[in-house]
Amino acid sequence: MPANFFRIFNAIVLWLIVLIFLPKQSFKRFLPVTFFCSFLLLIIEMLSPIFNWWKVEGGYKYMVFDALAFILGPFFTINLWVFHLTFGKFSLYAISNLVIDFIFAYLLCPIFQKIGHFKFKKFTSTKIFFLYYFLALLNYGFQKYIEKPTESIQR
């Protein structure tokens, strides 16, 4: 029960903050990269039962709900904000993601496990940290790639 409330509350509050405060232009600009990485995370989540990386109580149905609540809630909205605040300044982007991924992996994951979001099996906080940081760097490259054609047309 607390985990479900937390999932839903998190998604609603974070989306309200995005819709109210994030400039519309930034939302449109960084939506493709956010969808790209969200899709990659969804694939990783769907591979989890096959490789026994982590377990969500309640079976596959709850695993899908948990994944979608996380990916479309905190991950999606925080990704939009990080890009809005740091894109074009790679070192700031890299440091921001290093801090965020560290907090998620080593501080929040243990709390999430305690309240019943999931339980690590063959995965660890260190693996989550490196996976998320790698995805952050991949995201930055993806965003630079999709903006490159626009820059060359404007010259």
Side-chain angles (χ1 to χ4, degrees):
M1 176 68 171
N4 286 336
F5 173 78
F6 184 74
R7 289 176 186 115
I8 294 166
F9 178 79
N10 225 357
I12 291 170
V13 168
L14 291 172
W15 270 104
L16 282 174
I17 291 169
V18 164
L19 293 173
I20 293 170
F21 297 108
L22 186 71
K24 194 175 192 176
Q25 183 180 9
S26 287
F27 183 82
K28 288 179 183 178
R29 179 181 181 191
F30 300 122
L31 195 59
V33 70
T34 303
F35 274 129
F36 168 72
C37 200
S38 296
F39 178 71
L40 292 178
L41 273 182
L42 192 57
I43 290 171
I44 291 166
E45 183 69 33
M46 296 302 118
L47 291 173
S48 174
I50 296 168
F51 296 104
N52 200 27
W53 290 332
W54 54 81
K55 183 180 181 191
V56 176
E57 291 298 320
Y60 194 74
K61 175 181 153 185
Y62 286 95
M63 184 198 73
V64 171
F65 178 71
D66 190 62
L68 291 175
F70 172 72
I71 292 168
L72 298 177
F75 179 80
F76 203 91
T77 55
I78 290 169
N79 203 37
L80 287 168
W81 278 108
V82 168
F83 268 99
H84 170 71
L85 296 170
T86 66
F87 189 70
K89 303 169 211 127
F90 179 74
S91 57
L92 181 60
Y93 176 85
I95 291 168
S96 297
N97 273 283
L98 196 67
V99 170
I100 291 167
D101 295 339
F102 182 88
I103 290 169
F104 178 73
Y106 295 105
L107 301 177
L108 295 178
C109 279
I111 293 170
F112 292 154
Q113 288 186 77
K114 212 169 230 182
I115 65 172
H117 270 291
F118 59 86
K119 177 78 173 143
F120 283 143
K121 296 294 184 179
K122 293 182 180 175
F123 235 67
T124 64
S125 289
T126 301
K127 288 179 183 177
I128 283 284
F129 172 76
F130 283 114
L131 172 66
Y132 275 48
Y133 196 67
F134 170 76
L135 289 174
L137 298 177
L138 185 66
N139 269 358
Y140 197 88
F142 181 84
Q143 184 65 28
K144 289 293 270 186
Y145 175 77
I146 63 174
E147 287 193 3
K148 189 175 183 174
T150 308
E151 291 172 2
S152 63
I153 291 171
Q154 292 175 352
R155 290 183 188 178

